[in-house]
Amino acid sequence: MATNAREVRLGDVKVAVAEAGVGGRPIMLVHGFTGAKEDFTDFLEPLAERGWHAVAPDLRGHGSSDHPDDEVRYSLEIIVADLLALADSLGWESFVLLGHSMGGMVAQELLLAHPERVRAIVLMDTTHGPVDWVEPDTRELAAAIVREHGIPALMEALKTLRDEDPLMTPAFLRLLHERPGYSEFCDAKLLRSAPAMWLAMSQALLTQADRLDRLADVDVPTLVVVGEQDIPFVAHGERMAKTIPGARLAIIPDAGHSPQFENTDAWWEAFSSFLEDIALEDIA
């Protein structure tokens, strides 16, 4: 089954989506901060072959979607509204939702506000509350660079700080060497991120409310997945898996913040087996 790319109008923005398997069971895969739909497009056709209608959007301010230039047009709640509008446009009453990193924070907010819309959820390398390993002063310095010089200058500054970045895991660095074009792929996603989005959402990630207590009321099948080297996120994942009733926890070996690329086979096994069990429950 071929992957289709198109634009969908969602209120005040157009978003770019990739999809495969129209007519199958609905699943949406949501990328993280400065990510893109291409973080999951490799997996849309395999999902379609297994009976899923798989959709991966570029969130507003990312990739090929519209880039509003006003910071007030970005928040976790606004992105939740976009995803619900996208699901409505697809005719989905409820759907399985995967959220990666910031996308996982959005997914939690969507589930907690609209539990009737989520059939099952996959929380991938994400947190239940504020990002707690970035110092506010560091964020302010980066924000000043973005305001004065733009995203390309930020990218160059970040490269000088790689030794201090906990996301620069051995698995990520290995992939930079082993996968031709992966460094350029990562750079391109950042460069296609709107400055206003970066400014608004980098602050939102540091100041968002903690959701852990509310996650105890979640009543849908849940998979929490995290790369074993993704140290800032492992403890968050473990706490979420312990708090959400019946949640599964999959810690992916030899992987960091993007286990779908860093250890694809182990990540796919955890993810696809979870989906198979959901499908069997639907049939039963």
Side-chain angles (χ1 to χ4, degrees):
M1 297 183 180
T3 299
N4 177 52
R6 61 189 177 99
E7 290 186 336
V8 180
R9 167 63 67 176
L10 304 177
D12 64 345
V13 295
K14 287 186 296 184
V15 300
V17 303
E19 65 182 334
V22 175
R25 297 183 297 274
I27 183 169
M28 189 182 300
L29 302 97
V30 182
H31 66 76
F33 180 59
T34 72
K37 62 183 180 298
E38 285 77 18
D39 287 332
F40 294 105
T41 49
D42 289 350
F43 308 101
L44 300 183
E45 289 184 33
L47 287 168
E49 291 168 359
R50 288 161 174 78
W52 295 91
H53 178 188
V55 174
D58 281 333
L59 300 178
R60 64 168 62 207
H62 294 78
S64 299
S65 291
D66 282 351
H67 285 45
D69 58 8
D70 190 335
E71 292 175 46
V72 302
R73 296 177 68 185
Y74 299 95
S75 69
L76 293 175
E77 294 77 14
I78 288 171
I79 297 172
V80 166
D82 285 346
L83 297 184
L84 289 171
L86 176 58
D88 289 344
S89 76
L90 294 164
W92 293 356
E93 292 186 5
S94 64
F95 53 99
V96 176
L97 179 59
L98 178 149
H100 177 213
S101 197
M102 184 185 80
M105 303 168 204
V106 172
Q108 293 168 63
E109 293 288 350
L110 193 158
L111 171 62
L112 291 168
H114 303 275
E116 75 284 355
R117 300 300 300 270
V118 180
R119 169 69 184 86
I121 194 164
V122 180
L123 301 173
M124 176 178 160
D125 292 82
T126 190
T127 73
H128 51 75
V131 169
D132 54 12
W133 61 92
V134 176
E135 294 295 331
D137 289 349
T138 302
R139 185 266 170 193
E140 286 305 312
L141 178 60
I145 293 172
V146 172
R147 289 192 179 96
E148 294 178 23
H149 304 291
I151 295 293
L154 175 68
M155 184 179 75
E156 293 307 313
L158 292 175
K159 287 182 178 180
T160 69
L161 300 173
R162 277 189 168 178
D163 290 344
E164 303 173 26
D165 187 345
L167 301 187
M168 297 294 160
T169 62
F172 175 79
L173 296 174
R174 169 180 50 79
L175 203 57
L176 291 181
H177 290 291
E178 293 181 355
R179 181 166 175 168
Y182 190 69
S183 179
E184 292 79 4
F185 169 72
C186 295
D187 288 349
K189 290 186 293 180
L190 176 57
L191 290 172
R192 296 176 76 191
S193 301
M197 182 284 300
W198 192 97
L199 291 165
M201 297 312 299
S202 63
Q203 181 65 14
L205 300 185
L206 295 181
T207 58
Q208 63 186 304
D210 197 308
R211 295 170 291 269
L212 190 61
D213 289 346
R214 291 190 291 152
L215 291 176
D217 296 326
V218 167
D219 189 26
V220 299
T222 300
L223 171 66
V224 180
V225 58
V226 60
E228 69 170 347
Q229 298 175 12
D230 199 9
I231 300 304
F233 292 86
V234 170
H236 281 269
E238 290 174 339
R239 287 191 292 267
M240 288 189 290
K242 186 178 295 185
T243 299
I244 298 171
R248 300 185 190 182
L249 175 64
I251 297 180
I252 307 302
D254 195 25
H257 194 58
S258 295
Q260 77 274 34
F261 295 129
E262 295 156 350
N263 191 343
T264 301
D265 289 347
W267 173 82
W268 178 253
E269 172 59 28
F271 179 42
S272 62
S273 62
F274 176 72
L275 295 181
E276 287 171 9
D277 288 346
I278 295 169
L280 290 174
E281 289 177 13
D282 287 342
I283 294 170

